[in-house]
mmCIF file of all heavy atoms in Angstrom:
data_model
loop_
_atom_site.group_PDB
_atom_site.id
_atom_site.type_symbol
_atom_site.label_atom_id
_atom_site.label_comp_id
_atom_site.label_asym_id
_atom_site.label_seq_id
_atom_site.Cartn_x
_atom_site.Cartn_y
_atom_site.Cartn_z
ATOM 1 N N GLU A 172 10.707 13.262 -13.074
ATOM 2 C CA GLU A 172 10.826 13.000 -14.514
ATOM 3 C C GLU A 172 10.422 11.579 -14.903
ATOM 4 O O GLU A 172 10.269 11.283 -16.085
ATOM 5 C CB GLU A 172 12.252 13.285 -15.006
ATOM 6 C CG GLU A 172 13.301 12.309 -14.533
ATOM 7 C CD GLU A 172 14.186 12.859 -13.413
ATOM 8 O OE1 GLU A 172 13.792 13.844 -12.766
ATOM 9 O OE2 GLU A 172 15.278 12.297 -13.195
ATOM 10 N N ARG A 173 10.239 10.715 -13.915
ATOM 11 C CA ARG A 173 9.825 9.350 -14.204
ATOM 12 C C ARG A 173 8.739 8.918 -13.226
ATOM 13 O O ARG A 173 8.574 9.523 -12.166
ATOM 14 C CB ARG A 173 11.024 8.401 -14.108
ATOM 15 C CG ARG A 173 12.013 8.594 -15.285
ATOM 16 C CD ARG A 173 13.280 7.801 -15.112
ATOM 17 N NE ARG A 173 13.962 8.190 -13.902
ATOM 18 C CZ ARG A 173 14.490 7.324 -13.044
ATOM 19 N NH1 ARG A 173 14.404 6.039 -13.269
ATOM 20 N NH2 ARG A 173 15.104 7.760 -11.972
ATOM 21 N N GLY A 174 8.020 7.862 -13.598
ATOM 22 C CA GLY A 174 6.977 7.337 -12.724
ATOM 23 C C GLY A 174 6.994 5.820 -12.739
ATOM 24 O O GLY A 174 7.755 5.199 -13.482
ATOM 25 N N ALA A 175 6.149 5.222 -11.910
ATOM 26 C CA ALA A 175 6.156 3.775 -11.734
ATOM 27 C C ALA A 175 5.425 3.091 -12.874
ATOM 28 O O ALA A 175 4.264 3.390 -13.161
ATOM 29 C CB ALA A 175 5.522 3.417 -10.402
ATOM 30 N N LEU A 176 6.118 2.172 -13.524
ATOM 31 C CA LEU A 176 5.505 1.348 -14.560
ATOM 32 C C LEU A 176 4.570 0.362 -13.869
ATOM 33 O O LEU A 176 4.941 -0.272 -12.887
ATOM 34 C CB LEU A 176 6.597 0.604 -15.328
ATOM 35 C CG LEU A 176 6.154 -0.240 -16.523
ATOM 36 C CD1 LEU A 176 5.542 0.635 -17.608
ATOM 37 C CD2 LEU A 176 7.347 -1.016 -17.079
ATOM 38 N N GLY A 177 3.358 0.246 -14.403
ATOM 39 C CA GLY A 177 2.425 -0.703 -13.795
ATOM 40 C C GLY A 177 1.117 -0.704 -14.546
ATOM 41 O O GLY A 177 0.831 0.215 -15.313
ATOM 42 N N HIS A 178 0.325 -1.749 -14.304
ATOM 43 C CA HIS A 178 -0.971 -1.876 -14.971
ATOM 44 C C HIS A 178 -1.957 -0.863 -14.388
ATOM 45 O O HIS A 178 -2.694 -0.194 -15.105
ATOM 46 C CB HIS A 178 -1.494 -3.301 -14.789
ATOM 47 C CG HIS A 178 -2.787 -3.552 -15.479
ATOM 48 N ND1 HIS A 178 -2.907 -3.574 -16.842
ATOM 49 C CD2 HIS A 178 -4.029 -3.786 -14.993
ATOM 50 C CE1 HIS A 178 -4.168 -3.816 -17.162
ATOM 51 N NE2 HIS A 178 -4.872 -3.940 -16.060
ATOM 52 N N SER A 179 -1.931 -0.730 -13.054
ATOM 53 C CA SER A 179 -2.762 0.262 -12.375
ATOM 54 C C SER A 179 -2.000 1.586 -12.425
ATOM 55 O O SER A 179 -1.160 1.803 -13.284
ATOM 56 C CB SER A 179 -2.993 -0.165 -10.926
ATOM 57 O OG SER A 179 -1.759 -0.140 -10.220
ATOM 58 N N ASP A 180 -2.274 2.462 -11.471
ATOM 59 C CA ASP A 180 -1.528 3.725 -11.408
ATOM 60 C C ASP A 180 -0.113 3.528 -10.858
ATOM 61 O O ASP A 180 0.647 4.482 -10.750
ATOM 62 C CB ASP A 180 -2.292 4.769 -10.591
ATOM 63 C CG ASP A 180 -2.548 4.347 -9.150
ATOM 64 O OD1 ASP A 180 -2.000 3.308 -8.731
ATOM 65 O OD2 ASP A 180 -3.292 5.051 -8.455
ATOM 66 N N GLY A 181 0.232 2.292 -10.484
ATOM 67 C CA GLY A 181 1.594 1.991 -10.042
ATOM 68 C C GLY A 181 1.921 2.484 -8.644
ATOM 69 O O GLY A 181 3.090 2.657 -8.307
ATOM 70 N N ASP A 182 0.879 2.680 -7.832
ATOM 71 C CA ASP A 182 1.071 3.207 -6.473
ATOM 72 C C ASP A 182 1.555 2.085 -5.547
ATOM 73 O O ASP A 182 0.761 1.366 -4.929
ATOM 74 C CB ASP A 182 -0.250 3.804 -5.975
ATOM 75 C CG ASP A 182 -0.126 4.557 -4.661
ATOM 76 O OD1 ASP A 182 0.823 4.283 -3.897
ATOM 77 O OD2 ASP A 182 -0.985 5.414 -4.408
ATOM 78 N N ALA A 183 2.878 1.955 -5.462
ATOM 79 C CA ALA A 183 3.472 0.834 -4.727
ATOM 80 C C ALA A 183 3.193 0.908 -3.230
ATOM 81 O O ALA A 183 3.139 -0.123 -2.551
ATOM 82 C CB ALA A 183 4.982 0.796 -4.975
ATOM 83 N N LEU A 184 3.013 2.114 -2.703
ATOM 84 C CA LEU A 184 2.678 2.240 -1.274
ATOM 85 C C LEU A 184 1.305 1.629 -1.011
ATOM 86 O O LEU A 184 1.133 0.831 -0.074
ATOM 87 C CB LEU A 184 2.709 3.715 -0.850
ATOM 88 C CG LEU A 184 2.290 3.998 0.591
ATOM 89 C CD1 LEU A 184 3.154 3.244 1.594
ATOM 90 C CD2 LEU A 184 2.326 5.506 0.875
ATOM 91 N N ALA A 185 0.337 1.978 -1.842
ATOM 92 C CA ALA A 185 -1.004 1.405 -1.687
ATOM 93 C C ALA A 185 -0.968 -0.113 -1.861
ATOM 94 O O ALA A 185 -1.633 -0.851 -1.119
ATOM 95 C CB ALA A 185 -1.966 2.035 -2.697
ATOM 96 N N HIS A 186 -0.168 -0.591 -2.805
ATOM 97 C CA HIS A 186 -0.115 -2.034 -3.075
ATOM 98 C C HIS A 186 0.499 -2.799 -1.900
ATOM 99 O O HIS A 186 0.001 -3.845 -1.495
ATOM 100 C CB HIS A 186 0.692 -2.311 -4.344
ATOM 101 C CG HIS A 186 0.093 -1.699 -5.570
ATOM 102 N ND1 HIS A 186 0.745 -1.646 -6.786
ATOM 103 C CD2 HIS A 186 -1.113 -1.096 -5.773
ATOM 104 C CE1 HIS A 186 -0.029 -1.043 -7.675
ATOM 105 N NE2 HIS A 186 -1.155 -0.696 -7.085
ATOM 106 N N ALA A 187 1.601 -2.284 -1.360
ATOM 107 C CA ALA A 187 2.259 -2.976 -0.238
ATOM 108 C C ALA A 187 1.368 -2.966 1.002
ATOM 109 O O ALA A 187 1.274 -3.972 1.721
ATOM 110 C CB ALA A 187 3.604 -2.321 0.058
ATOM 111 N N LEU A 188 0.706 -1.839 1.252
ATOM 112 C CA LEU A 188 -0.201 -1.762 2.405
ATOM 113 C C LEU A 188 -1.372 -2.729 2.237
ATOM 114 O O LEU A 188 -1.783 -3.390 3.197
ATOM 115 C CB LEU A 188 -0.727 -0.334 2.567
ATOM 116 C CG LEU A 188 0.281 0.677 3.122
ATOM 117 C CD1 LEU A 188 -0.252 2.104 2.960
ATOM 118 C CD2 LEU A 188 0.587 0.391 4.597
ATOM 119 N N ALA A 189 -1.904 -2.817 1.033
ATOM 120 C CA ALA A 189 -3.027 -3.728 0.779
ATOM 121 C C ALA A 189 -2.607 -5.169 1.054
ATOM 122 O O ALA A 189 -3.347 -5.930 1.703
ATOM 123 C CB ALA A 189 -3.513 -3.573 -0.655
ATOM 124 N N ASP A 190 -1.421 -5.557 0.599
ATOM 125 C CA ASP A 190 -0.973 -6.933 0.836
ATOM 126 C C ASP A 190 -0.688 -7.186 2.313
ATOM 127 O O ASP A 190 -0.894 -8.302 2.803
ATOM 128 C CB ASP A 190 0.253 -7.252 -0.017
ATOM 129 C CG ASP A 190 -0.144 -7.921 -1.326
ATOM 130 O OD1 ASP A 190 -1.293 -8.402 -1.441
ATOM 131 O OD2 ASP A 190 0.705 -7.970 -2.238
ATOM 132 N N ALA A 191 -0.225 -6.165 3.034
ATOM 133 C CA ALA A 191 -0.015 -6.331 4.481
ATOM 134 C C ALA A 191 -1.347 -6.591 5.184
ATOM 135 O O ALA A 191 -1.452 -7.489 6.036
ATOM 136 C CB ALA A 191 0.667 -5.089 5.052
ATOM 137 N N LEU A 192 -2.362 -5.830 4.811
ATOM 138 C CA LEU A 192 -3.694 -6.017 5.416
ATOM 139 C C LEU A 192 -4.262 -7.385 5.070
ATOM 140 O O LEU A 192 -4.752 -8.114 5.937
ATOM 141 C CB LEU A 192 -4.655 -4.935 4.913
ATOM 142 C CG LEU A 192 -4.416 -3.530 5.450
ATOM 143 C CD1 LEU A 192 -5.248 -2.529 4.661
ATOM 144 C CD2 LEU A 192 -4.760 -3.452 6.934
ATOM 145 N N LEU A 193 -4.203 -7.737 3.787
ATOM 146 C CA LEU A 193 -4.757 -9.023 3.350
ATOM 147 C C LEU A 193 -3.990 -10.174 3.977
ATOM 148 O O LEU A 193 -4.579 -11.176 4.395
ATOM 149 C CB LEU A 193 -4.703 -9.114 1.818
ATOM 150 C CG LEU A 193 -5.591 -8.107 1.069
ATOM 151 C CD1 LEU A 193 -5.241 -8.117 -0.417
ATOM 152 C CD2 LEU A 193 -7.070 -8.399 1.284
ATOM 153 N N GLY A 194 -2.658 -10.015 4.072
ATOM 154 C CA GLY A 194 -1.831 -11.066 4.654
ATOM 155 C C GLY A 194 -2.149 -11.289 6.127
ATOM 156 O O GLY A 194 -2.180 -12.428 6.599
ATOM 157 N N ALA A 195 -2.394 -10.208 6.850
ATOM 158 C CA ALA A 195 -2.704 -10.334 8.280
ATOM 159 C C ALA A 195 -3.993 -11.117 8.494
ATOM 160 O O ALA A 195 -4.150 -11.813 9.492
ATOM 161 C CB ALA A 195 -2.810 -8.945 8.909
ATOM 162 N N ALA A 196 -4.914 -10.992 7.548
ATOM 163 C CA ALA A 196 -6.190 -11.711 7.648
ATOM 164 C C ALA A 196 -6.157 -13.037 6.890
ATOM 165 O O ALA A 196 -7.162 -13.746 6.844
ATOM 166 C CB ALA A 196 -7.322 -10.834 7.097
ATOM 167 N N ALA A 197 -4.998 -13.363 6.304
ATOM 168 C CA ALA A 197 -4.840 -14.585 5.501
ATOM 169 C C ALA A 197 -5.869 -14.658 4.375
ATOM 170 O O ALA A 197 -6.396 -15.727 4.059
ATOM 171 C CB ALA A 197 -4.886 -15.840 6.379
ATOM 172 N N LEU A 198 -6.155 -13.517 3.775
ATOM 173 C CA LEU A 198 -7.044 -13.460 2.606
ATOM 174 C C LEU A 198 -6.188 -13.502 1.341
ATOM 175 O O LEU A 198 -4.982 -13.264 1.388
ATOM 176 C CB LEU A 198 -7.875 -12.172 2.634
ATOM 177 C CG LEU A 198 -8.850 -12.053 3.809
ATOM 178 C CD1 LEU A 198 -9.478 -10.672 3.836
ATOM 179 C CD2 LEU A 198 -9.930 -13.133 3.738
#
Side-chain angles (χ1 to χ4, degrees):
E172 70 256 18
R173 289 173 300 136
L176 184 64
H178 182 68
S179 66
D180 60 8
D182 188 337
L184 176 58
H186 298 170
L188 286 168
D190 266 344
L192 288 169
L193 295 169
L198 296 173

